Amino acid sequence: ELKVEQNPLFLSMQEGKNYTIYCNYSTTSDRLYWYRQDPGKSLESLFVLLSNGAVKQEGRLMASLDTKARLSTLHITAAVHDLSATYFCAVESNFGNEKLTFGTGTRLTIIP
Amino acid sequence: DVKVTQSSRYLVKRTGEKVFLECVQDMDHENMFWYRQDPGLGLRLIYFSYDVKMKEKGDIPEGYSVSREKKERFSLILESASTNQTSMYLCASSMTGPDTQYFGPGTRLTVL
């Protein structure tokens, strides 16, 4: 059974600082997705990572995938308030059934 | 632009009622999914569908059924609603193959 763990679960950080959210998963996969959810809203796709060593960047967010370590990271550079949200990683197993298993999310709060 | 819509944003029902949640996507996606989201538990997959009239159980199918009569529409049915089915329900769709899932706005269901 595929298990996905995110840490930290809660993160409060000051504007301008850097931080990293970690996503570990338990079985072989080279398909990992990051989503953002604002309070009371639905999930918005951020990044799609489909191979070992994949790196994607959008603004102050950068995601990477290490399939050998079964680890993805979401790095936040020089945080700003509008990045406050809950971030989820989701992993698709290599069995090709296209189901996603989600982590429990990291609630990020950026303090001015 | 990708669009997934859900029939209601908020719904209040009584215990024992039959409840229909509708989801429509306009992207000609083959795959459609129903999740529920609860605090501290992340997103959990209820049912999914790869094609018209086809359905697969997810991780928590008990108490739910689904219907997919047309490619663009995927319905979630609570045959006899119970209070433990109070939750946020999210519908999503995706193409076949490695593809991010696109989420609808969600339906917050309260069962009294």
Side-chain angles (χ1 to χ4, degrees), chain A residues 33 35 37 42 45 97-98, chain B residues 31 37 50 97 100-101 103-104:
Chain A
Y33 307 85
Y35 293 88
Q37 186 177 37
S42 190
S45 178
N97 61 13
E98 302 181 48
Chain B
N31 305 324
Q37 183 177 22
Y50 294 138
T100 192
Q101 292 182 12
F103 283 81

Side-chain angles (χ1 to χ4, degrees), chain A residues 26-75:
Chain A
S26 62
T27 64
T28 303
S29 175
D30 52 10
R31 300 179 180 186
L32 191 139
Y33 307 85
W34 283 97
Y35 293 88
R36 169 185 172 141
Q37 186 177 37
D38 292 302
K41 301 286 181 66
S42 190
L43 275 74
E44 171 192 352
S45 178
L46 290 175
F47 298 111
V48 178
L49 302 169
L50 299 178
S51 61
N52 186 40
V55 177
K56 296 278 182 75
Q57 182 161 6
E58 179 77 32
R60 300 174 188 273
L61 299 177
M62 184 173 72
S64 65
L65 178 61
D66 181 343
T67 59
K68 293 178 182 174
R70 298 179 185 169
L71 171 69
S72 179
T73 60
L74 181 65
H75 187 73

